[in-house]
């Protein structure tokens, strides 16, 4: 596979260099918020409160992290409980969304059945409707279904979000029909074709979807949780940190540390899924 | 018959949830847009009154529409093209550098509300980085009120929004480029593709069409829905409504005044605008690679 791409068309050494320099310059600009958060998390309190602020840390310290640890150790609900809640919601929500949305996307991309066109059109239209006004009707539905104050109030709506289905359907359209027909002749059931043939081919797509879904639930889990979940024992890390750190200016340092920790989990997921995309692409081909 | 049963079994779980939590609320919201609803009393049917008021009496709404259209017209196409071009360049890098580059470019979208950095840069006193720089080089005599002066608010929001916009479609394009059938390039070379631009136009873009469609829809939705950045940077409401958009107008009536009927009609108008734009873009994209 790699042999083909080594022959590059009309490229010059100087052109590559300019391109690379441009990428690096824009890249630095793009990475500013990460650099900012990382630097602030390691700043001692006098540097955080310094005015005008310095962008880079001068005397890095771990104090913010130890302070954060002591603050959290003193909370009423054990902090491990918040961690469990968050991971439960994020992992079940992400896995459910990727699996169920992909499963529905396969027939939409590769099979003919009545109602297919209109179903997909509705999914696309729904992406364009503002969530601000649908919140109230959603609240009513969730309350009516008896899901209020449970994890499911956050998880189930996330499973049915339109983004995943749309993304997976678009990628599955690229899967060669011949592969699916061959599997059908071999007697594979629809579900096995989906699971054993289509899903491995569109691995870059669903790993990307894992990033979106994880990130969305990780950030919005707190916001949605604040609306639908009342019990202290069911709240997420986001909420817990918000409560603990609402203690004013003296807790600015720990809050910077918390921001970095909260950010590092989606970044880790991102890095993991990106590297497995690269690994699989060198081995799996889409040759007909 | 047995085959179609399997198909319906596969789509059922998703569409059950989707209809309950997405379609139903949207339909209800459109219905509510024809009523007067304060969330306490039962909605009262008023027909087209909300819409009439929106377009005839509500001057602020017209400012919001104008601002939103300017945002969409600039950030939409620019970020869409940037998403693709960057994804395309990054995809040709060696795997390890590619992973790092993807992370770096995706960083603004990943870091939640870290765009607060920008309020630091454009801080209105002489301590703001931009002002400090301008003063130091004697380009201005006194600090500029970047986020309070209607002259600058729009431009700054557009810059920040562009910086933030390498998100969903950027990653989708990268995934799309990585799952491309590489034998197509081989076939193309045999068929007389001579340079990278021909390769891009005749092979890469046409086989990416489904992802390009996806990116277009996501990007249109994002560029019409500018609100968070505007509120964080310029405040709510912004000076002389200079950073007011349809969504901030919606937030005003939906989450502050609780006039749900009116808020729903704002949402419906925005939906119609996005839909129109989408149909237009769809037509343009169908010409790619011809």
């Amino acid at each position: 596979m790699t042999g083909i791409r080594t022959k590059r068309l009309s490229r010059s050494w100087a052109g590559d260099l300019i391109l690379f320099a441009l990428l690096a310059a824009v890249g630095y600009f793009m990475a500013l918020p990460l650099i900012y958060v990382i630097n602030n998390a390691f700043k001692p309190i006098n540097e955080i409160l310094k005015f005008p602020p310095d962008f880079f840390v001068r005397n890095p310290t771990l104090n913010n992290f130890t302070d954060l640890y002591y603050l959290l150790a003193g909370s009423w609900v054990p902090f491990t409980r918040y961690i469990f809640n968050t991971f439960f919601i994020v992992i079940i929500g992400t896995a459910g969304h990727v699996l169920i949305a992909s499963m529905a996307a396969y027939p939409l991309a590769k099979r003919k059945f009545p109602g297919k066109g209109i179903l997909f059109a509705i999914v696309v239209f729904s992406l364009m409707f503002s969530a601000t006004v649908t919140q109230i009707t959603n609240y009513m539905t969730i309350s009516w279904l008896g899901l209020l104050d449970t994890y499911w109030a956050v998880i189930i709506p996330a499973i049915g979000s339109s983004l995943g289905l749309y993304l997976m359907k678009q990628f599955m359209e690229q899967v060669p029909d011949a592969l699916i027909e061959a599997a059908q002749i071999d007697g594979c059931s629809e579900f096995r074709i989906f699971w054993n043939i289509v899903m491995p081919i569109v691995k870059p797509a669903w790993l990307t979807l894992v990033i979106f879904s994880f990130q969305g639930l990780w950030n919005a889990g707190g916001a949605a949780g604040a609306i639908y979940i009342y019990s202290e024992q069911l709240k997420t890390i986001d909420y817990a940190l918000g409560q603990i750190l609402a203690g004013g200016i003296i807790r600015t340092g720990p809050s910077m540390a918390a921001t970095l920790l909260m950010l590092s989990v989606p970044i880790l997921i991102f890095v993991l899924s990106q590297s497995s995309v690269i690994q699989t692409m060198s081995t799996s081909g889409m040759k007909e | 018959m047995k085959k179609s049963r399997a198909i319906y079994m596969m789509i059922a779980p998703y569409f059950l949830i989707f209809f309950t939590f997405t379609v139903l609320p949207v339909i209800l919201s459109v219905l509510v847009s024809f009523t007067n609803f304060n969330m306490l009393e039962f909605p009262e049917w008023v027909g087209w009154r909300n819409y009439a008021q929106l377009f005839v009496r509500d001057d602020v709404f017209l400012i919001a529409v104008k601002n939103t259209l300017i945002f969409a017209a600039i950030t939409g196409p620019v970020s869409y093209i940037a998403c693709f071009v960057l994804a395309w360049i990054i995809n040709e890098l060696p795997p390890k550098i590619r992973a790092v580059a993807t992370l770096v470019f995706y960083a603004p979208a990943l870091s939640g509300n870290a765009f607060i950095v920008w309020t630091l840069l454009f801080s209105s006193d002489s301590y703001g980085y931009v002002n400090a720089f301008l003063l130091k080089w004697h380009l201005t005599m006194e600090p500029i009120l970047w986020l309070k002066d209607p002259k600058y608010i729009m431009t700054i929001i557009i810059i920040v929004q562009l910086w933030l916009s390498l998100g969903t479609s950027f990653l989708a394009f990268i995934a799309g480029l990585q799952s491309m059938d590489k034998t197509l390039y081989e076939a193309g070379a045999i068929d007389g593709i001579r340079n990278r631009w021909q390769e891009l136009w005749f092979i890469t873009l046409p086989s990416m069409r489904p992802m390009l469609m996806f990116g277009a829809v996501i990007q249109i939705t994002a560029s019409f829905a500018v609100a968070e950045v505007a509120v964080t940077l310029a405040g709510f409401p912004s000076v002389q409504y200079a950073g007011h958009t349809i969504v901030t107008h919606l937030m005003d009536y939906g989450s502050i005044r609780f006039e749900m009927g009116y808020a729903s009609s704002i949402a419906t108008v925005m939906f119609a605008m996005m839909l129109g734009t989408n149909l237009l873009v769809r037509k343009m994209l169908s010409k790619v690679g011809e």
Side-chain angles (χ1 to χ4, degrees), chain B residues 165-183:
Chain B
S165 66
L166 283 190
T168 318
S169 22
F170 171 65
L171 284 194
F173 289 162
I174 287 192
L177 287 165
Q178 283 173 7
S179 53
M180 276 213 26
D181 185 353
K182 306 217 168 36
T183 52

Side-chain angles (χ1 to χ4, degrees), chain A residues 9 53 161 170 174 215 277, chain B residues 14 106 127 129 178 199 207 210:
Chain A
L9 296 154
S161 98
Q170 297 297 78
Q174 299 296 90
Q215 200 190 334
V277 167
Chain B
Y14 176 84
Y106 189 59
Y127 292 126
Y129 289 90
Q178 283 173 7
E199 191 182 82
S207 31

Side-chain angles (χ1 to χ4, degrees), chain B residues 64-208:
Chain B
V65 170
K66 193 194 87 194
N67 286 344
T68 306
L69 287 177
I70 295 175
F71 278 132
I74 298 175
T75 61
V78 172
S79 78
Y80 182 66
I81 292 168
C83 279
F84 184 81
V85 171
L86 283 169
W88 185 54
I89 296 173
I90 286 174
N91 191 52
E92 302 217 339
L93 297 172
K96 287 230 169 74
I97 303 176
R98 183 205 296 163
V100 176
T102 317
L103 175 63
V104 165
F105 284 96
Y106 189 59
L110 202 60
S111 49
N113 55 7
F115 57 81
I116 292 174
V117 191
W118 287 87
T119 55
L120 225 64
L121 291 175
F122 285 108
S123 191
S124 294
D125 43 36
S126 54
Y127 292 126
Y129 289 90
V130 176
N131 274 334
F133 177 82
L134 290 177
L135 287 170
K136 191 179 161 198
W137 294 96
H138 302 291
L139 294 168
T140 51
M141 298 311 282
E142 49 191 44
I144 296 170
L145 301 171
W146 293 111
L147 298 167
K148 294 279 170 275
D149 190 333
K151 260 195 304 194
Y152 303 113
I153 289 178
M154 276 292 270
T155 319
I156 293 175
I157 296 173
I158 288 174
I159 294 173
V160 177
Q161 192 66 36
L162 278 175
W163 169 84
L164 228 128
S165 66
L166 283 190
T168 318
S169 22
F170 171 65
L171 284 194
F173 289 162
I174 287 192
L177 287 165
Q178 283 173 7
S179 53
M180 276 213 26
D181 185 353
K182 306 217 168 36
T183 52
L184 282 177
Y185 291 114
E186 207 175 20
I190 295 165
D191 287 347
I193 295 276
R194 251 167 293 142
N195 56 43
R196 296 175 78 194
W197 307 110
Q198 283 186 351
E199 191 182 82
L200 179 69
W201 184 253
F202 291 110
I203 302 175
T204 313
L205 285 176
S207 31
M208 287 269 295

Side-chain angles (χ1 to χ4, degrees), chain A residues 18 42 48 59 124 126 133-134 141 157 199 227 251 256:
Chain A
I18 293 170
F42 292 101
I48 291 173
N59 305 302
V124 178
S126 77
V133 279
T134 52
T141 317
M199 281 304 261
I227 301 173
R251 288 182 178 172
M256 295 290 176

